[in-house]
Amino acid sequence: MKVVVLGCGYVGLELGRQLTAAGHDVVGVRRSDAGLEAVADAGLDPVRADVTEPETLADVPDADWVVFAASSGGRGADAARRVFVDGLQNAVDAFAARESPPERLVYTSSTGVYGDHDGDWVDEATPLDPTTDKTRVLARAEEVALSAPFSSTVTRFAGLYGPDRYRLERYLEGPVTEGYLNMVHRDDAAGAVRFALERDVDDVLLIVDDEPVSKWEFADWLADACGVARPEKRTKAERLAAGDLSEAARRRILTSKRCSNERLRTLGYEFVYPTFRAGYRAAIDAYRRDV
Protein backbone atom coordinates (compact mmCIF):
# COMPACT_ATOMS: atom_id res chain seq x y z
CA MET A 1 0.00 0.00 0.00
CA LYS A 2 1.01 3.62 -0.55
CA VAL A 3 0.92 5.45 2.77
CA VAL A 4 1.20 9.17 3.45
CA VAL A 5 2.05 10.26 7.00
CA LEU A 6 1.19 13.93 7.49
CA GLY A 7 3.31 15.27 10.31
CA CYS A 8 5.86 12.48 10.30
CA GLY A 9 7.40 13.13 13.69
CA TYR A 10 7.99 11.13 16.86
CA VAL A 11 5.36 8.45 16.26
CA GLY A 12 5.12 8.97 12.50
CA LEU A 13 8.77 8.14 11.87
CA GLU A 14 8.49 4.88 13.80
CA LEU A 15 5.22 4.10 12.03
CA GLY A 16 6.95 4.71 8.70
CA ARG A 17 9.79 2.37 9.63
CA GLN A 18 7.35 -0.36 10.64
CA LEU A 19 5.22 0.04 7.52
CA THR A 20 8.29 0.01 5.28
CA ALA A 21 9.52 -3.17 6.96
CA ALA A 22 6.11 -4.71 6.26
CA GLY A 23 6.44 -3.93 2.55
CA HIS A 24 4.45 -0.71 2.26
CA ASP A 25 5.59 2.43 0.38
CA VAL A 26 5.68 5.36 2.83
CA VAL A 27 5.81 9.11 2.23
CA GLY A 28 6.67 11.26 5.24
CA VAL A 29 5.38 14.83 5.09
CA ARG A 30 7.09 17.59 7.08
CA ARG A 31 7.36 21.35 6.68
CA SER A 32 10.95 21.97 7.84
CA ASP A 33 14.37 21.07 6.48
CA ALA A 34 15.28 19.28 9.72
CA GLY A 35 12.03 17.34 9.60
CA LEU A 36 12.57 16.28 6.01
CA GLU A 37 16.10 15.16 6.84
CA ALA A 38 14.76 12.97 9.66
CA VAL A 39 12.22 11.44 7.27
CA ALA A 40 14.95 10.61 4.75
CA ASP A 41 17.17 9.20 7.52
CA ALA A 42 14.33 6.85 8.48
CA GLY A 43 14.30 5.46 4.93
CA LEU A 44 11.03 7.13 3.93
CA ASP A 45 10.24 9.34 0.96
CA PRO A 46 10.30 12.97 2.20
CA VAL A 47 7.82 15.54 0.87
CA ARG A 48 7.54 19.14 2.04
CA ALA A 49 4.03 20.38 2.81
CA ASP A 50 2.12 22.13 5.59
CA VAL A 51 -1.46 21.16 6.42
CA THR A 52 -2.20 24.74 7.47
CA GLU A 53 -1.32 25.86 3.92
CA PRO A 54 -3.70 23.79 1.77
CA GLU A 55 -2.08 24.71 -1.54
CA THR A 56 1.09 22.86 -0.48
CA LEU A 57 -0.82 19.58 -0.21
CA ALA A 58 -0.87 19.41 -4.00
CA ASP A 59 2.76 18.27 -3.75
CA VAL A 60 1.78 15.21 -1.70
CA PRO A 61 1.18 12.11 -3.86
CA ASP A 62 -1.99 10.03 -3.88
CA ALA A 63 -2.18 7.33 -1.23
CA ASP A 64 -4.17 4.29 -0.23
CA TRP A 65 -3.86 5.23 3.43
CA VAL A 66 -3.39 8.66 5.02
CA VAL A 67 -2.24 9.10 8.61
CA PHE A 68 -2.67 12.54 10.20
CA ALA A 69 -0.07 12.72 12.97
CA ALA A 70 0.77 16.42 12.89
CA SER A 71 1.70 18.33 16.04
CA SER A 72 0.88 21.86 17.14
CA GLY A 73 4.26 22.09 18.83
CA GLY A 74 2.90 22.13 22.38
CA ARG A 75 1.38 25.57 21.89
CA GLY A 76 -2.07 26.81 22.92
CA ALA A 77 -5.60 26.16 21.72
CA ASP A 78 -5.48 28.57 18.77
CA ALA A 79 -2.39 26.88 17.33
CA ALA A 80 -3.97 23.50 17.97
CA ARG A 81 -7.13 24.55 16.15
CA ARG A 82 -5.17 25.66 13.10
CA VAL A 83 -3.41 22.30 12.89
CA PHE A 84 -5.86 19.71 14.22
CA VAL A 85 -9.17 21.13 13.00
CA ASP A 86 -8.39 23.44 10.08
CA GLY A 87 -5.33 21.49 8.96
CA LEU A 88 -7.11 18.15 9.19
CA GLN A 89 -10.06 19.54 7.24
CA ASN A 90 -7.63 20.85 4.62
CA ALA A 91 -6.14 17.37 4.29
CA VAL A 92 -9.53 15.67 4.09
CA ASP A 93 -10.71 18.10 1.42
CA ALA A 94 -7.50 17.81 -0.59
CA PHE A 95 -7.49 14.01 -0.70
CA ALA A 96 -11.25 13.70 -1.15
CA ALA A 97 -11.06 15.87 -4.29
CA ARG A 98 -8.58 13.57 -6.02
CA GLU A 99 -9.42 11.10 -8.76
CA SER A 100 -8.03 8.37 -6.50
CA PRO A 101 -8.98 9.27 -2.93
CA PRO A 102 -7.56 7.20 -0.06
CA GLU A 103 -9.24 4.09 1.29
CA ARG A 104 -8.63 5.07 4.92
CA LEU A 105 -7.70 7.98 7.16
CA VAL A 106 -6.22 7.57 10.62
CA TYR A 107 -6.20 10.61 12.90
CA THR A 108 -4.04 10.45 16.03
CA SER A 109 -5.88 12.00 18.98
CA SER A 110 -5.36 11.93 22.74
CA THR A 111 -6.96 10.45 25.84
CA GLY A 112 -7.16 14.05 27.07
CA VAL A 113 -10.58 14.26 25.38
CA TYR A 114 -12.10 12.17 28.20
CA GLY A 115 -11.67 14.80 30.88
CA ASP A 116 -11.79 13.81 34.55
CA HIS A 117 -13.26 10.51 35.78
CA ASP A 118 -11.86 10.56 39.31
CA GLY A 119 -9.72 7.48 38.67
CA ASP A 120 -12.50 5.38 37.09
CA TRP A 121 -12.04 3.34 33.92
CA VAL A 122 -12.78 4.75 30.47
CA ASP A 123 -12.95 3.08 27.06
CA GLU A 124 -14.05 3.86 23.50
CA ALA A 125 -17.71 4.04 24.54
CA THR A 126 -17.15 6.56 27.34
CA PRO A 127 -18.67 9.98 26.49
CA LEU A 128 -16.11 12.71 25.92
CA ASP A 129 -15.82 15.55 28.42
CA PRO A 130 -12.82 17.70 27.45
CA THR A 131 -12.02 20.24 30.15
CA THR A 132 -9.66 22.69 28.43
CA ASP A 133 -9.76 24.72 25.24
CA LYS A 134 -7.06 22.53 23.73
CA THR A 135 -8.75 19.22 24.50
CA ARG A 136 -12.02 20.62 23.16
CA VAL A 137 -10.13 21.31 19.94
CA LEU A 138 -8.96 17.70 19.89
CA ALA A 139 -12.52 16.47 20.34
CA ARG A 140 -13.67 18.68 17.46
CA ALA A 141 -10.88 17.29 15.27
CA GLU A 142 -12.14 13.78 15.96
CA GLU A 143 -15.50 14.83 14.51
CA VAL A 144 -13.74 16.11 11.38
CA ALA A 145 -11.92 12.80 10.97
CA LEU A 146 -14.96 10.60 11.53
CA SER A 147 -17.04 12.62 9.07
CA ALA A 148 -14.49 12.25 6.24
CA PRO A 149 -15.90 10.85 2.97
CA PHE A 150 -13.79 7.70 3.27
CA SER A 151 -13.23 5.14 6.02
CA SER A 152 -11.63 6.69 9.06
CA THR A 153 -10.19 5.74 12.41
CA VAL A 154 -9.48 7.88 15.45
CA THR A 155 -6.65 6.55 17.59
CA ARG A 156 -6.54 8.04 21.09
CA PHE A 157 -3.00 7.89 22.45
CA ALA A 158 -2.26 7.69 26.15
CA GLY A 159 0.92 9.42 27.38
CA LEU A 160 3.73 8.68 24.97
CA TYR A 161 7.16 7.65 26.20
CA GLY A 162 10.20 6.00 24.68
CA PRO A 163 13.56 7.05 23.22
CA ASP A 164 14.28 10.70 24.12
CA ARG A 165 11.01 10.91 26.09
CA TYR A 166 11.47 8.92 29.27
CA ARG A 167 11.60 12.03 31.52
CA LEU A 168 13.02 10.10 34.46
CA GLU A 169 13.86 13.29 36.35
CA ARG A 170 10.19 14.25 36.67
CA TYR A 171 9.52 11.18 38.80
CA LEU A 172 12.91 10.61 40.42
CA GLU A 173 13.35 14.16 41.69
CA GLY A 174 9.71 14.87 42.60
CA PRO A 175 7.58 16.06 44.11
CA VAL A 176 5.10 13.63 42.54
CA THR A 177 1.40 14.47 42.60
CA GLU A 178 -1.25 11.79 43.13
CA GLY A 179 -3.33 10.45 40.23
CA TYR A 180 -3.03 7.85 37.49
CA LEU A 181 -0.63 7.47 34.61
CA ASN A 182 -1.86 6.01 31.34
CA MET A 183 1.09 5.27 29.08
CA VAL A 184 2.09 3.69 25.80
CA HIS A 185 5.57 3.22 24.39
CA ARG A 186 6.25 4.98 21.09
CA ASP A 187 6.85 1.65 19.34
CA ASP A 188 3.44 0.36 20.40
CA ALA A 189 1.71 3.64 19.54
CA ALA A 190 3.09 3.27 16.02
CA GLY A 191 2.45 -0.47 16.02
CA ALA A 192 -1.19 -0.01 16.96
CA VAL A 193 -1.71 2.51 14.15
CA ARG A 194 -0.09 0.07 11.71
CA PHE A 195 -2.38 -2.64 13.08
CA ALA A 196 -5.45 -0.41 12.61
CA LEU A 197 -4.47 0.26 9.01
CA GLU A 198 -3.71 -3.32 8.10
CA ARG A 199 -6.79 -4.72 9.86
CA ASP A 200 -9.20 -2.01 8.60
CA VAL A 201 -10.21 -1.02 12.13
CA ASP A 202 -13.03 1.52 12.02
CA ASP A 203 -14.28 4.18 14.39
CA VAL A 204 -12.29 4.83 17.62
CA LEU A 205 -9.39 2.89 19.09
CA LEU A 206 -7.86 3.64 22.48
CA ILE A 207 -4.11 3.03 22.46
CA VAL A 208 -2.74 2.44 25.94
CA ASP A 209 -0.73 -0.34 27.54
CA ASP A 210 -1.97 -3.02 29.93
CA GLU A 211 -1.40 -1.28 33.24
CA PRO A 212 -2.52 2.23 34.15
CA VAL A 213 -0.66 2.95 37.36
CA SER A 214 -0.77 5.32 40.30
CA LYS A 215 1.82 8.08 39.86
CA TRP A 216 3.05 7.45 43.39
CA GLU A 217 3.40 3.73 42.76
CA PHE A 218 5.19 4.34 39.47
CA ALA A 219 7.57 6.87 41.02
CA ASP A 220 8.49 4.48 43.84
CA TRP A 221 8.99 1.58 41.39
CA LEU A 222 11.19 3.75 39.17
CA ALA A 223 13.27 5.04 42.10
CA ASP A 224 13.82 1.49 43.38
CA ALA A 225 14.77 0.27 39.90
CA CYS A 226 17.24 3.16 39.49
CA GLY A 227 18.68 2.65 42.96
CA VAL A 228 17.80 6.10 44.34
CA ALA A 229 15.68 7.40 47.21
CA ARG A 230 11.94 7.48 46.66
CA PRO A 231 10.69 11.00 45.81
CA GLU A 232 8.50 13.33 47.83
CA LYS A 233 4.74 12.90 47.30
CA ARG A 234 2.02 15.56 47.21
CA THR A 235 -1.75 15.40 47.13
CA LYS A 236 -3.70 17.19 44.42
CA ALA A 237 -4.77 19.87 46.88
CA GLU A 238 -1.19 20.52 47.96
CA ARG A 239 0.06 20.80 44.39
CA LEU A 240 -2.78 23.04 43.24
CA ALA A 241 -2.25 25.33 46.20
CA ALA A 242 1.29 26.05 44.99
CA GLY A 243 -0.23 28.15 42.21
CA ASP A 244 2.69 27.83 39.75
CA LEU A 245 1.14 25.37 37.29
CA SER A 246 0.88 25.61 33.53
CA GLU A 247 -2.47 24.81 31.93
CA ALA A 248 -1.15 21.42 30.80
CA ALA A 249 0.16 20.56 34.28
CA ARG A 250 -3.09 21.65 35.90
CA ARG A 251 -5.07 19.50 33.45
CA ARG A 252 -2.90 16.46 34.24
CA ILE A 253 -3.60 16.88 37.94
CA LEU A 254 -7.35 17.44 37.56
CA THR A 255 -8.11 14.71 34.98
CA SER A 256 -7.53 11.37 36.65
CA LYS A 257 -8.73 8.23 34.85
CA ARG A 258 -7.67 4.71 33.90
CA CYS A 259 -7.80 3.90 30.19
CA SER A 260 -8.74 0.42 29.01
CA ASN A 261 -7.09 -1.28 26.03
CA GLU A 262 -9.62 -4.12 25.95
CA ARG A 263 -10.76 -3.37 22.41
CA LEU A 264 -7.22 -3.22 21.05
CA ARG A 265 -6.33 -6.47 22.82
CA THR A 266 -9.55 -8.19 21.68
CA LEU A 267 -8.83 -7.24 18.07
CA GLY A 268 -5.52 -9.07 18.38
CA TYR A 269 -2.79 -6.47 18.83
CA GLU A 270 0.26 -7.82 20.70
CA PHE A 271 2.29 -5.26 22.61
CA VAL A 272 6.06 -5.05 22.37
CA TYR A 273 6.02 -3.32 25.77
CA PRO A 274 2.88 -4.47 27.60
CA THR A 275 3.62 -2.32 30.67
CA PHE A 276 6.00 0.37 31.86
CA ARG A 277 8.10 -2.34 33.54
CA ALA A 278 9.28 -3.53 30.14
CA GLY A 279 9.12 -0.17 28.40
CA TYR A 280 11.34 1.69 30.88
CA ARG A 281 14.02 -1.00 31.13
CA ALA A 282 16.34 0.60 28.55
CA ALA A 283 16.10 3.99 30.29
CA ILE A 284 16.76 2.47 33.71
CA ASP A 285 19.79 0.54 32.45
CA ALA A 286 21.18 3.71 30.85
CA TYR A 287 20.57 5.71 34.05
CA ARG A 288 22.36 3.16 36.21
CA ARG A 289 25.32 3.09 33.82
CA ASP A 290 25.65 6.87 33.95
CA VAL A 291 25.45 7.42 37.72
Side-chain angles (χ1 to χ4, degrees):
M1 291 291 190
K2 183 82 167 186
V3 189
V4 164
V5 182
L6 299 170
C8 193
Y10 188 62
V11 174
L13 289 169
E14 176 60 23
L15 172 63
R17 287 188 284 264
Q18 292 187 23
L19 288 169
T20 299
H24 302 288
D25 182 11
V26 184
V27 173
V29 177
R30 297 287 291 271
R31 61 183 180 181
S32 69
D33 289 339
L36 292 170
E37 184 176 347
V39 170
D41 289 345
L44 315 179
D45 183 14
V47 173
R48 185 191 301 276
D50 185 338
V51 295
T52 67
E53 300 175 6
E55 65 279 4
T56 67
L57 294 172
D59 296 327
V60 180
D62 291 349
D64 301 297
W65 299 334
V66 174
V67 178
F68 190 98
S71 169
S72 64
R75 293 171 290 171
D78 289 341
R81 186 174 295 103
R82 285 193 296 273
V83 174
F84 298 127
V85 177
D86 300 338
L88 178 57
Q89 189 66 66
N90 290 338
V92 168
D93 292 345
F95 281 97
R98 297 187 176 190
E99 291 186 10
S100 298
E103 297 175 7
R104 176 168 297 280
L105 166 72
V106 171
Y107 165 65
T108 60
S109 186
S110 164
T111 57
V113 296
Y114 288 111
D116 180 41
H117 288 266
D118 197 27
D120 285 344
W121 287 92
V122 301
D123 61 17
E124 290 82 356
T126 303
L128 303 190
D129 186 22
T131 56
T132 68
D133 288 343
K134 189 168 184 178
T135 53
R136 282 188 282 271
V137 167
L138 297 178
R140 172 64 187 127
E142 291 192 4
E143 296 175 359
V144 172
L146 292 173
S147 63
F150 29 76
S151 296
S152 57
T153 310
V154 167
T155 55
R156 292 179 185 147
F157 289 162
L160 292 167
Y161 73 97
D164 301 319
R165 290 199 185 183
Y166 287 105
R167 302 184 180 95
L168 268 64
E169 294 78 8
R170 175 186 294 177
Y171 295 100
L172 293 180
E173 297 175 2
V176 178
T177 306
E178 65 182 322
Y180 281 99
L181 283 172
N182 298 275
M183 295 182 280
V184 64
H185 192 283
R186 178 206 64 184
D187 294 3
D188 282 310
V193 172
R194 174 181 52 80
F195 177 86
L197 288 167
E198 294 179 337
R199 298 293 184 92
D200 291 330
V201 177
D202 284 318
D203 200 25
V204 176
L205 189 61
L206 210 165
I207 300 180
V208 61
D209 71 16
D210 289 348
E211 190 178 344
V213 61
S214 155
K215 293 178 183 178
W216 289 357
E217 179 183 341
F218 173 74
D220 285 349
W221 172 85
L222 186 62
D224 293 349
C226 289
V228 300
R230 292 181 171 185
E232 177 188 354
K233 315 294 194 307
R234 289 186 182 174
T235 65
K236 290 182 182 181
E238 289 171 336
R239 189 67 186 92
L240 290 169
D244 58 349
L245 297 172
S246 66
E247 179 186 355
R250 185 177 181 84
R251 175 177 60 82
R252 285 195 297 269
I253 291 172
L254 293 175
T255 55
S256 181
K257 57 188 173 290
R258 285 175 285 174
C259 299
S260 168
N261 67 8
E262 182 177 356
R263 184 180 188 221
L264 182 58
R265 278 295 199 182
T266 299
L267 288 169
Y269 181 73
E270 296 184 5
F271 281 81
V272 179
Y273 301 103
T275 77
F276 60 88
R277 292 179 177 82
Y280 267 82
R281 180 48 53 192
I284 292 166
D285 290 345
Y287 181 89
R288 296 187 72 109
R289 283 195 304 269
D290 292 341
V291 295

